[in-house]
Amino acid sequence: MSVSTDNQITIRTATEADWPAIQLLDSTGFGFHPSSADKTLTRTLYRPEDIVVATEGDQVVGLAIEFDMEITVPGGNQLPTRGITWVSVAPTHRRRGILRSMFVRLHHHIASTGAPLVALTASDARIYNRFGYGPATVSESITIDRRFADFRPQAPTGSGVRITDAQTAATLLPAIYDRWRLVTPGAQRRPQAHWDFTFADPSDHRAGASGLFFLTHPDGYVSYRHRSDGSDSVVDIAEFVAINDDAYAALWRTMCGLDLVTRIEAEQHPEDPLRLMLTDYRSVRTTRRSDRLWLRIMNVPAALEAREYVADLDTVIKIEDPFLDSGGTFALSIRSGKATCRPTDADAKITMPSDILSSIYLGSHQARIFAAAGRVQASAPQEIRDFDFAFGTTRPAVMGYGF
Ligand SMILES: CC(C)(COP(=O)(O)OP(=O)(O)OC[C@H]1O[C@@H](n2cnc3c(N)ncnc32)[C@H](O)[C@@H]1OP(=O)(O)O)[C@@H](O)C(=O)NCCC(=O)NCCS
């Protein structure tokens, strides 16, 4: 089925013949020319029937891709999730409602799949709240002057790290990643095509830095690149995966043992313990804080019943969802970590829009902060305190890989 948004624009499912135009629109929107490795990755991951295009005559002027994903939620369940990527509207056709029309169509399809979650990453934080999406994982960019990174004696010593060549890394990393993502809220199942792209390590994705180096541990790994910045020798960590504290400490100790390196730059969760392992708390400097994974809850009861909680709770929440009209008022009862969530006619004790519930869902944000910002309402402050307490998590939410 195709839908016309105005006299000229048609919204429809893509066909094989649209690929060149899709590729051209994406490179124009995001400002890069895809290499043959990029094209292979794209064509392996996405099928034309998963792509919505907006066309005007023979031109593709809008596009969005929907694909299958699986995301771990607090407690370790994996939820079927639809991913959205490559959202792009031609600079010649901005602000005429093309994105909105594509999203209406995509989300009707997503609703029909029954997936309780949708995930995307956002180039601009102002776009997606209106569609019920909220930032659901937080990450910090950090920089460490490695020359002064001394570990406290109490920090786990950690051992078992090995220098690993790319060929061996390709046989070890996917299994370690998979064990990690199954215990990490926010982490996704990772397709083999992504791994193939990672290990192919195309030179036009290195931003002038070296090819990838790998360190492995039985319960974790690091991949990183070397580059120069003036007279400084810098290491950029591409991926740091640690299933437990020993692997975390062992890998960081090894990274900080790269004697000829001045600075290490990485992305980590704000709760990562590196700072607390070092004698100089200030030697890890946060240079940026950003959102990574954005989520939209499609089915409130299914999503809330799928995760685990850390305290009992009885409340009534009203979720407003003007975009899809899939909100409502729900009685939420939590006992021994498990929730039951049912529609109710009772008066709401806490009211919030769908994007905020989606932000809170993996544990990265608290209702009380949104309440302070005037974006969550409660019948009494204690309601919010109890809600936040129950929605706490024991492991920080982290996005697994960029998409
Ligand atoms: C972002 C982009 C897809 C928007 O497409 P568009 O067709 O112009 O968007 P629409 O006209 O359908 O706008 C939908 C709504 O989002 C708002 N909006 C869209 N882009 C916005 C932006 N960058 N900042 C703030 N609001 C934005 C519009 O004002 C509109 O609001 P309303 O419907 O509530 O009145 C397009 O500008 C683009 O392709 N940008 C470059 C690539 C990119 O950033 N893609 C997103 C990747 S995550």
Side-chain angles (χ1 to χ4, degrees):
M1 188 185 69
S2 62
V3 180
S4 293
T5 58
D6 60 27
N7 289 338
Q8 290 92 33
I9 308 295
T10 298
I11 309 289
R12 62 164 171 82
T13 304
T15 66
E16 200 61 37
D18 292 317
W19 267 119
I22 287 171
Q23 205 91 60
L24 179 63
L25 178 59
D26 181 70
S27 19
T28 307
F30 292 97
F32 79 106
H33 290 295
S35 63
S36 62
D38 290 310
K39 287 182 186 165
T40 305
L41 179 67
T42 307
R43 297 296 293 268
T44 314
L45 291 176
Y46 312 122
R47 306 168 309 163
E49 54 267 38
D50 299 326
I51 306 178
V52 167
V53 288
T55 58
E56 186 178 50
D58 62 355
Q59 275 189 88
V60 172
V61 294
L63 107 98
I65 300 182
E66 184 197 328
F67 64 102
D68 235 354
M69 219 185 223
E70 186 181 82
I71 287 187
T72 302
V73 299
N77 278 335
Q78 280 84 55
L79 286 204
T81 301
R82 299 301 286 174
I84 294 183
T85 188
W86 279 48
V87 175
S88 194
V89 171
T92 48
H93 287 70
R94 292 283 146 86
R95 309 300 179 262
R96 288 167 51 177
I98 293 179
L99 170 66
R100 182 171 278 280
S101 306
M102 295 192 301
F103 260 40
V104 166
R105 183 187 170 106
L106 269 183
H107 286 83
H108 281 139
H109 177 254
I110 289 167
S112 76
T113 69
L117 299 177
V118 198
L120 51 76
T121 59
S123 61
D124 185 318
R126 295 167 300 174
I127 305 170
Y128 294 111
N129 287 146
R130 61 173 54 71
F131 300 119
Y133 290 80
T137 68
V138 175
S139 111
E140 284 184 351
S141 306
I142 55 160
T143 179
I144 308 151
D145 191 329
R146 191 213 57 83
R147 297 165 301 177
F148 305 106
D150 294 324
F151 282 76
R152 289 174 182 269
Q154 303 91 332
T157 48
S159 56
V161 177
R162 294 178 66 103
I163 298 172
T164 305
D165 63 45
Q167 223 177 355
T168 313
T171 67
L172 297 176
L173 269 51
I176 298 171
Y177 174 91
D178 222 42
R179 284 167 53 219
W180 169 81
R181 69 111 181 161
L182 292 176
V183 296
T184 305
Q188 321 100 289
R189 188 182 56 211
R190 185 156 163 181
Q192 186 55 44
H194 256 277
W195 286 114
D196 294 345
F197 189 82
T198 300
F199 296 116
D201 195 13
S203 54
D204 56 339
H205 282 258
R206 297 179 189 172
S210 72
L212 285 172
F213 289 84
F214 299 92
L215 295 174
T216 57
H217 178 278
D219 297 319
Y221 63 84
V222 190
S223 61
Y224 63 92
R225 302 181 190 283
H226 282 271
R227 70 179 157 88
S228 301
D229 179 13
S231 57
D232 286 351
S233 159
V234 180
V235 153
D236 292 320
I237 293 187
E239 264 193 79
F240 191 108
V241 162
I243 296 168
N244 51 40
D245 294 343
D246 274 353
Y248 182 88
L251 289 164
W252 267 118
R253 280 182 183 274
T254 311
M255 289 305 295
C256 290
L258 289 169
D259 277 342
L260 301 182
V261 169
T262 320
R263 230 164 56 226
I264 302 177
E265 310 214 325
E267 271 210 25
Q268 65 169 25
H269 189 276
E271 285 175 26
D272 270 22
L274 177 63
R275 248 187 200 93
L276 305 184
M277 288 179 175
L278 301 176
T279 53
D280 183 357
Y281 178 83
R282 296 180 189 166
S283 61
V284 178
R285 211 158 43 79
T286 299
T287 52
R288 182 168 182 249
R289 185 182 162 100
S290 52
D291 48 272
R292 297 285 279 145
L293 188 75
W294 285 60
L295 280 188
R296 191 206 134 85
I297 293 178
M298 294 295 290
N299 180 326
V300 173
L304 292 189
E305 290 182 1
R307 61 154 281 185
E308 269 183 19
Y309 299 85
V310 297
D312 291 353
L313 179 72
D314 284 296
T315 192
V316 176
I317 50 171
K318 181 175 176 194
I319 305 301
E320 296 161 334
D321 184 11
F323 176 53
L324 290 186
D325 202 21
S326 69
T329 304
F330 302 93
L332 177 64
S333 174
I334 297 173
R335 292 288 178 277
S336 307
K338 302 278 177 220
T340 52
C341 181
R342 301 280 182 271
T344 180
D345 294 329
D347 289 340
K349 294 182 176 167
I350 301 178
T351 301
M352 65 178 80
S354 164
D355 62 297
I356 292 181
L357 184 65
S358 304
S359 276
I360 290 170
Y361 183 61
L362 297 179
S364 296
H365 295 276
Q366 285 79 44
R368 72 186 166 82
I369 315 279
F370 283 109
R375 295 171 61 191
V376 165
Q377 287 74 43
S379 56
Q382 188 64 38
E383 292 292 335
I384 303 242
R385 282 198 285 272
D386 292 347
F387 179 92
D388 276 342
F389 193 45
F391 273 69
T393 54
T394 50
R395 192 161 174 128
V398 178
M399 187 170 83
Y401 68 91
F403 60 96

